[in-house]
Amino acid sequence: MAHTAPLTHLRTRPRRTGRRHPLVATLMALPLAALLLVVFDGWETVAAQASSVGVMLGR
């Protein structure tokens, strides 16, 4: 018979609440912006993505 651990033992880290740091959000968006630059070959797309990230960050 298989031994099953209680669910409380499986979760080692508590869940974090709150907002993500703006630098982390920016670092997450930069690869997407670079991909859009390569795929669509235009600065307009990158500028639109950067603008969207700026709005998301509240600037």
Side-chain angles (χ1 to χ4, degrees), residues 25-47:
T26 302
L27 289 175
M28 290 172 64
L30 283 178
L32 179 59
L35 179 67
L36 289 173
L37 176 65
V38 171
V39 170
F40 294 106
D41 195 34
W43 288 104
E44 295 84 12
T45 307
V46 175

